[in-house]
Amino acid sequence: MNILISSTSGEPIYAQIAGQVRQLILQGELVSGTPLPSIRQLAKELQISVITTKRAYEELEREGLINSIVGKGSFVSGADQEFIREQRLRIMEGKLKEIIDESRLLGMEYTELTEMLKLLYEEEKE
């Protein structure tokens, strides 16, 4: 698992870790049952505090994406595909909201925005 930490990002380190692991799970790169590095091991690899990695794992566990078993470690949860689909849709909705906000700042009309989306969508299919 390759996690990159940016010291110049305004985002807290635990959130960077949780976000990257979340993406790997939602994209299917980490599948159900996959063991994650131990909290101590990840902290050592990233040269950060154990408390920071613990906080990232706790956040992922609250979201239902990982399970932690005392004495055994943390694993990608067996969340069903519908749950993962819902999580990915939620992320996509957030990105679309950002795009809508940006288009409004630019003074774009709805039809102009949908035409741009349609063109990009069709272009990617080719």
Side-chain angles (χ1 to χ4, degrees):
M1 189 167 64
N2 189 21
I3 295 178
L4 303 174
I5 301 298
S6 170
S7 58
T8 58
S9 168
E11 186 177 30
I13 293 172
Y14 81 90
Q16 291 180 49
I17 296 167
Q20 290 177 51
V21 173
R22 182 182 304 110
Q23 280 303 113
L24 292 170
I25 294 169
L26 296 179
Q27 291 171 350
E29 292 182 39
L30 291 177
V31 296
S32 176
T34 303
L36 298 175
S38 73
I39 291 171
R40 290 185 192 280
Q41 180 184 354
L42 186 58
K44 185 178 178 182
E45 286 175 16
L46 298 175
Q47 298 179 351
I48 59 173
S49 165
V50 171
I51 295 169
T52 302
T53 53
K54 185 176 189 307
R55 187 168 177 189
Y57 278 24
E58 286 172 346
E59 183 173 313
L60 292 165
E61 194 164 12
R62 267 193 308 278
E63 293 175 17
L65 294 173
I66 69 170
N67 297 319
S68 296
I69 302 167
V70 177
K72 295 200 179 206
S74 298
F75 303 85
V76 175
S77 78
D80 65 14
Q81 290 303 310
E82 187 60 31
F83 173 77
I84 290 176
R85 179 173 164 42
E86 284 300 317
Q87 292 285 24
R88 292 185 76 182
L89 283 172
R90 186 177 57 81
I91 291 167
M92 191 172 90
E93 287 170 1
K95 291 177 180 179
L96 286 171
K97 174 124 179 46
E98 287 178 33
I99 290 168
I100 290 167
D101 292 344
E102 185 67 24
S103 69
R104 286 184 175 143
L105 287 173
L106 293 171
M108 290 178 75
E109 295 293 325
Y110 173 77
T111 53
E112 194 177 359
L113 178 61
T114 56
E115 185 61 31
M116 180 185 279
L117 178 61
K118 182 180 176 185
L119 286 171
L120 290 170
Y121 186 83
E122 293 300 323
E123 184 179 286
E124 290 298 315
K125 285 178 26 179
E126 296 171 1

